[in-house]
Amino acid sequence: MPAKRESGRRPAPSGPRASTGAGPRYRQILEALRARIERGIYPVGGHVPTESALCREFGVSRYTVRAALANLVEHGMVERRPGLGTIVLAPQSQRAYQQSIRSLADLFQFALDTHVAIRASTLVELDAATAAVLGAEPGERWLQVDSVRRTASGGPPICCTSSFLPDRLAWIGPELQDCVGPFYAHIEARTGEPIVRATQEIRAEPMPAHLRPLLDDRDGAIALCLIRHYFSAAGSVICSFNWHPAATFSYRMEIERKR
Amino acid sequence: MPAKRESGRRPAPSGPRASTGAGPRYRQILEALRARIERGIYPVGGHVPTESALCREFGVSRYTVRAALANLVEHGMVERRPGLGTIVLAPQSQRAYQQSIRSLADLFQFALDTHVAIRASTLVELDAATAAVLGAEPGERWLQVDSVRRTASGGPPICCTSSFLPDRLAWIGPELQDCVGPFYAHIEARTGEPIVRATQEIRAEPMPAHLRPLLDDRDGAIALCLIRHYFSAAGSVICSFNWHPAATFSYRMEIERKR
DNA sequence: GACTATTTGTGCGTATGTATC
DNA sequence: GGATACATACGCACAAATAGT
């Protein structure tokens, strides 16, 4: 006997009804809502019915409805706000797969016990090409900081970096001289504004001629150029161009299916 | 007076106690547990106290304790199993930041309306170097499939790919000839085993000489080599080496702080 | 600006199912 | 089988945010 749903003895003993063959109730409701969102029955920008309406429709408690809705939030499909309701953000899960990293330092993917030596620090007006990469306007004033990173043991250079700070943060520039960790961490600490978002672009390029001597780059002239851009809620915080000799560096990432 | 927890009027009216000044109860408990895990009071591999024990200790309901524990699960710090308990997996959040992608296709990051032409399909015995990258043993038999990808409009070639399938999946090889989408999707469909995990490594390399004619590569001999490795629960499913001319390709990713 | 209705957020107590040892 | 511990589910109550009057 595939089990009945209603026990029908006492008024409302509650507890999980014997499986109806389709898993937990909250998951059934989740799938129902997901299907409606995908089919546009609840269009993007529109509202999902309120919790109490869903309780009535599916004949379950608020607990169960909330469990389903929480899952939709986790998948980035809806947003919920008190007094406003549940709004559809996207017709498909936004995080079917995900790469998780413990900290922004993981973006670097090389040992943090490295030393930085600043070679130059100049207030520049952006040319068109650089402005395009920074997402800024040509002619804007940014602070450019050029540096070389080596292993702590004073070994060979690992990479060359050009970092750009927006004008409003240029006052931090001098402090970077004796900064131990990565620049973005120092800026995060000094401004008190946490970094909320970061982007990274990876290119293969010839090592720029003026950098080759700094890296003892004799053999190959190929470089992996990583362009990292960090944002706080207030906007752009720092953008860095990191040139690694191709022979000594590769970038590795891992993605997992979510649940 | 730091606020009392017991209202002490009616037997148990329940409902959120007036804020003690530190946010919701479940979040306070979350932070307390997180701190204990970080300090090794609950060591990795060890157990967090049971729900009922935590209810007693913090003087809250099971609902509240569960809300806190659910958050720890979300951050990858603990694992929970019925009859077993709550086990500590990691002393820090494993997902402070995350890159979310809708589908594995996003790993490709170029239009899917491309055509693939298979140039060769051979059962090979792995040499040491290839075996190392595949995470296999030298001498193992894998099916190697070489192909070229162009835009649907019959335009110029975009990239060259060498794909490796383990012996147990070699029977799928012939089918890839008329496969429209990416190979991994076809394999996922035919085997019925969903892909659970994928890794990607990015290198800058000279374009291999034998590939240059295929790509009309005259100007630069630099390539971005993307090595993608897809896994189902049963193990390795397919691994591909994708060579893109550096001039026409860069890889971009975006990371967001979690909550 | 103050008030009210609506909707989600937080929290309690309880009951039963199911997996593990 | 029995004990333990988490999973699912119900009903209720109060708080906080929001929109509209």
mmCIF file of all heavy atoms in Angstrom, chain D residues 2-16:
data_model
loop_
_atom_site.group_PDB
_atom_site.id
_atom_site.type_symbol
_atom_site.label_atom_id
_atom_site.label_comp_id
_atom_site.label_asym_id
_atom_site.label_seq_id
_atom_site.Cartn_x
_atom_site.Cartn_y
_atom_site.Cartn_z
ATOM 1 P P DG D 2 11.773 -3.379 20.881
ATOM 2 O OP1 DG D 2 11.214 -3.922 22.139
ATOM 3 O OP2 DG D 2 10.906 -2.694 19.908
ATOM 4 O "O5'" DG D 2 12.969 -2.383 21.265
ATOM 5 C "C5'" DG D 2 14.089 -2.882 22.023
ATOM 6 C "C4'" DG D 2 15.106 -1.768 22.249
ATOM 7 O "O4'" DG D 2 15.925 -1.611 21.062
ATOM 8 C "C3'" DG D 2 14.487 -0.403 22.520
ATOM 9 O "O3'" DG D 2 15.242 0.237 23.548
ATOM 10 C "C2'" DG D 2 14.624 0.335 21.192
ATOM 11 C "C1'" DG D 2 15.916 -0.256 20.651
ATOM 12 N N9 DG D 2 16.029 -0.249 19.187
ATOM 13 C C8 DG D 2 15.063 -0.616 18.286
ATOM 14 N N7 DG D 2 15.462 -0.519 17.043
ATOM 15 C C5 DG D 2 16.759 -0.059 17.137
ATOM 16 C C6 DG D 2 17.699 0.222 16.120
ATOM 17 O O6 DG D 2 17.565 0.130 14.901
ATOM 18 N N1 DG D 2 18.911 0.664 16.656
ATOM 19 C C2 DG D 2 19.175 0.805 17.992
ATOM 20 N N2 DG D 2 20.385 1.240 18.315
ATOM 21 N N3 DG D 2 18.305 0.541 18.961
ATOM 22 C C4 DG D 2 17.128 0.108 18.451
ATOM 23 P P DA D 3 14.728 1.615 24.185
ATOM 24 O OP1 DA D 3 14.720 1.465 25.651
ATOM 25 O OP2 DA D 3 13.525 2.063 23.469
ATOM 26 O "O5'" DA D 3 15.941 2.583 23.807
ATOM 27 C "C5'" DA D 3 17.275 2.155 24.076
ATOM 28 C "C4'" DA D 3 18.263 3.140 23.477
ATOM 29 O "O4'" DA D 3 18.317 2.947 22.044
ATOM 30 C "C3'" DA D 3 17.896 4.611 23.707
ATOM 31 O "O3'" DA D 3 19.059 5.326 24.107
ATOM 32 C "C2'" DA D 3 17.374 5.078 22.350
ATOM 33 C "C1'" DA D 3 18.137 4.184 21.380
ATOM 34 N N9 DA D 3 17.424 3.898 20.136
ATOM 35 C C8 DA D 3 16.120 3.495 20.012
ATOM 36 N N7 DA D 3 15.747 3.285 18.776
ATOM 37 C C5 DA D 3 16.890 3.570 18.033
ATOM 38 C C6 DA D 3 17.154 3.535 16.647
ATOM 39 N N6 DA D 3 16.246 3.190 15.725
ATOM 40 N N1 DA D 3 18.395 3.878 16.246
ATOM 41 C C2 DA D 3 19.308 4.223 17.165
ATOM 42 N N3 DA D 3 19.171 4.291 18.494
ATOM 43 C C4 DA D 3 17.926 3.942 18.856
ATOM 44 P P DT D 4 18.938 6.926 24.413
ATOM 45 O OP1 DT D 4 19.898 7.224 25.486
ATOM 46 O OP2 DT D 4 17.514 7.302 24.568
ATOM 47 O "O5'" DT D 4 19.488 7.565 23.073
ATOM 48 C "C5'" DT D 4 20.703 7.049 22.510
ATOM 49 C "C4'" DT D 4 20.998 7.741 21.203
ATOM 50 O "O4'" DT D 4 20.168 7.209 20.149
ATOM 51 C "C3'" DT D 4 20.755 9.261 21.212
ATOM 52 O "O3'" DT D 4 21.926 9.891 20.768
ATOM 53 C "C2'" DT D 4 19.577 9.448 20.260
ATOM 54 C "C1'" DT D 4 19.731 8.266 19.328
ATOM 55 N N1 DT D 4 18.498 7.792 18.646
ATOM 56 C C2 DT D 4 18.527 7.572 17.297
ATOM 57 O O2 DT D 4 19.527 7.749 16.621
ATOM 58 N N3 DT D 4 17.350 7.105 16.763
ATOM 59 C C4 DT D 4 16.169 6.876 17.433
ATOM 60 O O4 DT D 4 15.183 6.479 16.832
ATOM 61 C C5 DT D 4 16.198 7.139 18.846
ATOM 62 C C7 DT D 4 14.961 6.910 19.672
ATOM 63 C C6 DT D 4 17.355 7.580 19.386
ATOM 64 P P DA D 5 22.064 11.523 20.853
ATOM 65 O OP1 DA D 5 23.482 11.841 21.074
ATOM 66 O OP2 DA D 5 21.031 12.048 21.779
ATOM 67 O "O5'" DA D 5 21.674 11.982 19.385
ATOM 68 C "C5'" DA D 5 22.433 11.480 18.292
ATOM 69 C "C4'" DA D 5 21.870 12.032 17.003
ATOM 70 O "O4'" DA D 5 20.714 11.271 16.621
ATOM 71 C "C3'" DA D 5 21.416 13.497 17.118
ATOM 72 O "O3'" DA D 5 21.934 14.237 16.041
ATOM 73 C "C2'" DA D 5 19.899 13.403 17.061
ATOM 74 C "C1'" DA D 5 19.699 12.159 16.220
ATOM 75 N N9 DA D 5 18.412 11.507 16.468
ATOM 76 C C8 DA D 5 17.731 11.426 17.650
ATOM 77 N N7 DA D 5 16.581 10.793 17.561
ATOM 78 C C5 DA D 5 16.503 10.435 16.224
ATOM 79 C C6 DA D 5 15.529 9.746 15.491
ATOM 80 N N6 DA D 5 14.404 9.277 16.018
ATOM 81 N N1 DA D 5 15.774 9.560 14.170
ATOM 82 C C2 DA D 5 16.909 10.027 13.653
ATOM 83 N N3 DA D 5 17.890 10.694 14.235
ATOM 84 C C4 DA D 5 17.621 10.862 15.539
ATOM 85 P P DC D 6 21.669 15.826 15.889
ATOM 86 O OP1 DC D 6 22.982 16.464 15.800
ATOM 87 O OP2 DC D 6 20.696 16.247 16.897
ATOM 88 O "O5'" DC D 6 20.995 15.911 14.455
ATOM 89 C "C5'" DC D 6 21.653 15.310 13.360
ATOM 90 C "C4'" DC D 6 20.650 14.920 12.305
ATOM 91 O "O4'" DC D 6 19.611 14.100 12.891
ATOM 92 C "C3'" DC D 6 19.934 16.097 11.639
ATOM 93 O "O3'" DC D 6 19.963 15.902 10.232
ATOM 94 C "C2'" DC D 6 18.520 16.023 12.182
ATOM 95 C "C1'" DC D 6 18.365 14.529 12.393
ATOM 96 N N1 DC D 6 17.316 14.174 13.370
ATOM 97 C C2 DC D 6 16.218 13.423 12.956
ATOM 98 O O2 DC D 6 16.157 13.068 11.768
ATOM 99 N N3 DC D 6 15.255 13.099 13.861
ATOM 100 C C4 DC D 6 15.379 13.497 15.117
ATOM 101 N N4 DC D 6 14.402 13.160 15.964
ATOM 102 C C5 DC D 6 16.489 14.275 15.553
ATOM 103 C C6 DC D 6 17.427 14.591 14.658
ATOM 104 P P DA D 7 19.184 16.948 9.271
ATOM 105 O OP1 DA D 7 19.893 16.950 7.980
ATOM 106 O OP2 DA D 7 18.980 18.215 10.011
ATOM 107 O "O5'" DA D 7 17.759 16.266 9.050
ATOM 108 C "C5'" DA D 7 17.658 15.163 8.155
ATOM 109 C "C4'" DA D 7 16.244 15.055 7.603
ATOM 110 O "O4'" DA D 7 15.351 14.635 8.649
ATOM 111 C "C3'" DA D 7 15.661 16.358 7.038
ATOM 112 O "O3'" DA D 7 14.942 16.049 5.852
ATOM 113 C "C2'" DA D 7 14.767 16.860 8.158
ATOM 114 C "C1'" DA D 7 14.297 15.561 8.794
ATOM 115 N N9 DA D 7 14.025 15.660 10.227
ATOM 116 C C8 DA D 7 14.838 16.198 11.189
ATOM 117 N N7 DA D 7 14.336 16.142 12.405
ATOM 118 C C5 DA D 7 13.104 15.523 12.233
ATOM 119 C C6 DA D 7 12.089 15.169 13.140
ATOM 120 N N6 DA D 7 12.149 15.402 14.455
ATOM 121 N N1 DA D 7 10.991 14.562 12.638
ATOM 122 C C2 DA D 7 10.932 14.320 11.324
ATOM 123 N N3 DA D 7 11.824 14.614 10.367
ATOM 124 C C4 DA D 7 12.899 15.213 10.903
ATOM 125 P P DT D 8 14.204 17.188 5.019
ATOM 126 O OP1 DT D 8 14.138 16.724 3.628
ATOM 127 O OP2 DT D 8 14.773 18.493 5.359
ATOM 128 O "O5'" DT D 8 12.748 17.102 5.631
ATOM 129 C "C5'" DT D 8 11.975 15.916 5.415
ATOM 130 C "C4'" DT D 8 10.636 16.052 6.077
ATOM 131 O "O4'" DT D 8 10.786 16.139 7.509
ATOM 132 C "C3'" DT D 8 9.834 17.291 5.654
ATOM 133 O "O3'" DT D 8 8.590 16.843 5.132
ATOM 134 C "C2'" DT D 8 9.676 18.092 6.947
ATOM 135 C "C1'" DT D 8 9.800 17.000 7.992
ATOM 136 N N1 DT D 8 10.239 17.443 9.350
ATOM 137 C C2 DT D 8 9.462 17.122 10.434
ATOM 138 O O2 DT D 8 8.423 16.492 10.338
ATOM 139 N N3 DT D 8 9.957 17.562 11.642
ATOM 140 C C4 DT D 8 11.125 18.278 11.865
ATOM 141 O O4 DT D 8 11.453 18.613 12.996
ATOM 142 C C5 DT D 8 11.893 18.580 10.679
ATOM 143 C C7 DT D 8 13.171 19.336 10.794
ATOM 144 C C6 DT D 8 11.418 18.156 9.493
ATOM 145 P P DA D 9 7.625 17.854 4.354
ATOM 146 O OP1 DA D 9 6.811 17.078 3.393
ATOM 147 O OP2 DA D 9 8.445 18.985 3.895
ATOM 148 O "O5'" DA D 9 6.651 18.356 5.504
ATOM 149 C "C5'" DA D 9 5.828 17.413 6.164
ATOM 150 C "C4'" DA D 9 5.177 18.065 7.363
ATOM 151 O "O4'" DA D 9 6.122 18.189 8.432
ATOM 152 C "C3'" DA D 9 4.658 19.480 7.140
ATOM 153 O "O3'" DA D 9 3.243 19.415 6.918
ATOM 154 C "C2'" DA D 9 4.990 20.212 8.453
ATOM 155 C "C1'" DA D 9 5.581 19.128 9.326
ATOM 156 N N9 DA D 9 6.652 19.604 10.217
ATOM 157 C C8 DA D 9 7.894 20.044 9.881
ATOM 158 N N7 DA D 9 8.642 20.413 10.899
ATOM 159 C C5 DA D 9 7.817 20.210 11.991
ATOM 160 C C6 DA D 9 8.001 20.409 13.378
ATOM 161 N N6 DA D 9 9.120 20.879 13.914
ATOM 162 N N1 DA D 9 6.960 20.098 14.201
ATOM 163 C C2 DA D 9 5.834 19.624 13.648
ATOM 164 N N3 DA D 9 5.539 19.391 12.373
ATOM 165 C C4 DA D 9 6.585 19.707 11.594
ATOM 166 P P DC D 10 2.417 20.748 6.667
ATOM 167 O OP1 DC D 10 1.329 20.361 5.762
ATOM 168 O OP2 DC D 10 3.309 21.872 6.313
ATOM 169 O "O5'" DC D 10 1.794 21.039 8.109
ATOM 170 C "C5'" DC D 10 1.037 20.011 8.742
ATOM 171 C "C4'" DC D 10 0.665 20.458 10.140
ATOM 172 O "O4'" DC D 10 1.858 20.500 10.953
ATOM 173 C "C3'" DC D 10 0.045 21.850 10.196
ATOM 174 O "O3'" DC D 10 -1.317 21.770 10.597
ATOM 175 C "C2'" DC D 10 0.874 22.625 11.218
ATOM 176 C "C1'" DC D 10 1.742 21.562 11.876
ATOM 177 N N1 DC D 10 3.107 22.097 12.137
ATOM 178 C C2 DC D 10 3.511 22.347 13.449
ATOM 179 O O2 DC D 10 2.716 22.109 14.379
ATOM 180 N N3 DC D 10 4.743 22.860 13.670
ATOM 181 C C4 DC D 10 5.555 23.101 12.643
ATOM 182 N N4 DC D 10 6.755 23.603 12.917
ATOM 183 C C5 DC D 10 5.157 22.845 11.297
ATOM 184 C C6 DC D 10 3.934 22.349 11.089
ATOM 185 P P DG D 11 -2.243 23.028 10.351
ATOM 186 O OP1 DG D 11 -3.620 22.511 10.224
ATOM 187 O OP2 DG D 11 -1.645 23.854 9.294
ATOM 188 O "O5'" DG D 11 -2.124 23.848 11.719
ATOM 189 C "C5'" DG D 11 -2.209 23.169 12.962
ATOM 190 C "C4'" DG D 11 -1.906 24.123 14.099
ATOM 191 O "O4'" DG D 11 -0.459 24.239 14.252
ATOM 192 C "C3'" DG D 11 -2.422 25.549 13.877
ATOM 193 O "O3'" DG D 11 -3.254 25.928 14.969
ATOM 194 C "C2'" DG D 11 -1.175 26.422 13.792
ATOM 195 C "C1'" DG D 11 -0.129 25.590 14.522
ATOM 196 N N9 DG D 11 1.231 25.828 14.042
ATOM 197 C C8 DG D 11 1.664 25.847 12.737
ATOM 198 N N7 DG D 11 2.934 26.107 12.617
ATOM 199 C C5 DG D 11 3.375 26.271 13.927
ATOM 200 C C6 DG D 11 4.671 26.571 14.422
ATOM 201 O O6 DG D 11 5.709 26.757 13.787
ATOM 202 N N1 DG D 11 4.685 26.644 15.814
ATOM 203 C C2 DG D 11 3.586 26.452 16.613
ATOM 204 N N2 DG D 11 3.785 26.563 17.925
ATOM 205 N N3 DG D 11 2.368 26.171 16.159
ATOM 206 C C4 DG D 11 2.333 26.097 14.810
ATOM 207 P P DC D 12 -3.981 27.353 14.947
ATOM 208 O OP1 DC D 12 -5.199 27.158 15.753
ATOM 209 O OP2 DC D 12 -4.033 27.861 13.566
ATOM 210 O "O5'" DC D 12 -2.987 28.312 15.770
ATOM 211 C "C5'" DC D 12 -2.609 27.939 17.094
ATOM 212 C "C4'" DC D 12 -1.468 28.800 17.568
ATOM 213 O "O4'" DC D 12 -0.300 28.548 16.743
ATOM 214 C "C3'" DC D 12 -1.706 30.304 17.481
ATOM 215 O "O3'" DC D 12 -1.897 30.822 18.794
ATOM 216 C "C2'" DC D 12 -0.436 30.875 16.854
ATOM 217 C "C1'" DC D 12 0.526 29.689 16.827
ATOM 218 N N1 DC D 12 1.449 29.685 15.661
ATOM 219 C C2 DC D 12 2.791 29.975 15.860
ATOM 220 O O2 DC D 12 3.196 30.230 17.000
ATOM 221 N N3 DC D 12 3.637 29.980 14.799
ATOM 222 C C4 DC D 12 3.169 29.696 13.571
ATOM 223 N N4 DC D 12 4.023 29.703 12.559
ATOM 224 C C5 DC D 12 1.789 29.383 13.347
ATOM 225 C C6 DC D 12 0.970 29.389 14.407
ATOM 226 P P DA D 13 -2.356 32.373 18.939
ATOM 227 O OP1 DA D 13 -3.027 32.457 20.256
ATOM 228 O OP2 DA D 13 -3.022 32.808 17.708
ATOM 229 O "O5'" DA D 13 -0.962 33.135 19.053
ATOM 230 C "C5'" DA D 13 -0.005 32.704 20.009
ATOM 231 C "C4'" DA D 13 1.205 33.616 19.961
ATOM 232 O "O4'" DA D 13 2.026 33.263 18.829
ATOM 233 C "C3'" DA D 13 0.833 35.090 19.772
ATOM 234 O "O3'" DA D 13 1.524 35.871 20.731
ATOM 235 C "C2'" DA D 13 1.276 35.411 18.355
ATOM 236 C "C1'" DA D 13 2.422 34.425 18.146
ATOM 237 N N9 DA D 13 2.676 34.054 16.755
ATOM 238 C C8 DA D 13 1.769 33.642 15.820
ATOM 239 N N7 DA D 13 2.300 33.383 14.635
ATOM 240 C C5 DA D 13 3.647 33.642 14.819
ATOM 241 C C6 DA D 13 4.753 33.558 13.948
ATOM 242 N N6 DA D 13 4.659 33.173 12.679
ATOM 243 N N1 DA D 13 5.966 33.884 14.445
ATOM 244 C C2 DA D 13 6.042 34.268 15.727
ATOM 245 N N3 DA D 13 5.081 34.384 16.643
ATOM 246 C C4 DA D 13 3.893 34.048 16.109
ATOM 247 P P DC D 14 1.035 37.383 21.015
ATOM 248 O OP1 DC D 14 0.992 37.517 22.481
ATOM 249 O OP2 DC D 14 -0.136 37.709 20.172
ATOM 250 O "O5'" DC D 14 2.275 38.231 20.483
ATOM 251 C "C5'" DC D 14 3.566 37.941 21.012
ATOM 252 C "C4'" DC D 14 4.616 38.433 20.052
ATOM 253 O "O4'" DC D 14 4.513 37.723 18.803
ATOM 254 C "C3'" DC D 14 4.522 39.920 19.705
ATOM 255 O "O3'" DC D 14 5.784 40.509 19.960
ATOM 256 C "C2'" DC D 14 4.162 39.923 18.223
ATOM 257 C "C1'" DC D 14 4.829 38.627 17.779
ATOM 258 N N1 DC D 14 4.333 38.064 16.498
ATOM 259 C C2 DC D 14 5.255 37.745 15.497
ATOM 260 O O2 DC D 14 6.460 37.946 15.712
ATOM 261 N N3 DC D 14 4.816 37.228 14.323
ATOM 262 C C4 DC D 14 3.509 37.022 14.137
ATOM 263 N N4 DC D 14 3.136 36.503 12.973
ATOM 264 C C5 DC D 14 2.549 37.338 15.140
ATOM 265 C C6 DC D 14 2.991 37.856 16.297
ATOM 266 P P DA D 15 5.972 42.072 19.771
ATOM 267 O OP1 DA D 15 6.566 42.555 21.026
ATOM 268 O OP2 DA D 15 4.730 42.662 19.254
ATOM 269 O "O5'" DA D 15 7.082 42.160 18.623
ATOM 270 C "C5'" DA D 15 8.144 41.202 18.588
ATOM 271 C "C4'" DA D 15 9.069 41.517 17.424
ATOM 272 O "O4'" DA D 15 8.578 40.865 16.223
ATOM 273 C "C3'" DA D 15 9.191 42.996 17.078
ATOM 274 O "O3'" DA D 15 10.531 43.255 16.672
ATOM 275 C "C2'" DA D 15 8.205 43.169 15.921
ATOM 276 C "C1'" DA D 15 8.285 41.821 15.223
ATOM 277 N N9 DA D 15 7.050 41.382 14.575
ATOM 278 C C8 DA D 15 5.812 41.302 15.146
ATOM 279 N N7 DA D 15 4.882 40.851 14.325
ATOM 280 C C5 DA D 15 5.565 40.613 13.145
ATOM 281 C C6 DA D 15 5.158 40.120 11.891
ATOM 282 N N6 DA D 15 3.898 39.766 11.611
ATOM 283 N N1 DA D 15 6.090 40.006 10.924
ATOM 284 C C2 DA D 15 7.349 40.356 11.217
ATOM 285 N N3 DA D 15 7.859 40.829 12.350
ATOM 286 C C4 DA D 15 6.902 40.933 13.287
ATOM 287 P P DA D 16 11.022 44.723 16.397
ATOM 288 O OP1 DA D 16 12.412 44.800 16.892
ATOM 289 O OP2 DA D 16 9.995 45.681 16.866
ATOM 290 O "O5'" DA D 16 11.056 44.785 14.810
ATOM 291 C "C5'" DA D 16 11.765 43.767 14.103
ATOM 292 C "C4'" DA D 16 11.638 44.009 12.616
ATOM 293 O "O4'" DA D 16 10.351 43.532 12.161
ATOM 294 C "C3'" DA D 16 11.715 45.484 12.194
ATOM 295 O "O3'" DA D 16 12.460 45.562 10.991
ATOM 296 C "C2'" DA D 16 10.256 45.853 11.971
ATOM 297 C "C1'" DA D 16 9.701 44.546 11.426
ATOM 298 N N9 DA D 16 8.272 44.352 11.616
ATOM 299 C C8 DA D 16 7.525 44.666 12.705
ATOM 300 N N7 DA D 16 6.255 44.357 12.586
ATOM 301 C C5 DA D 16 6.167 43.795 11.320
ATOM 302 C C6 DA D 16 5.087 43.257 10.587
ATOM 303 N N6 DA D 16 3.844 43.200 11.058
ATOM 304 N N1 DA D 16 5.344 42.770 9.360
ATOM 305 C C2 DA D 16 6.603 42.823 8.893
ATOM 306 N N3 DA D 16 7.700 43.310 9.490
ATOM 307 C C4 DA D 16 7.405 43.775 10.707
#
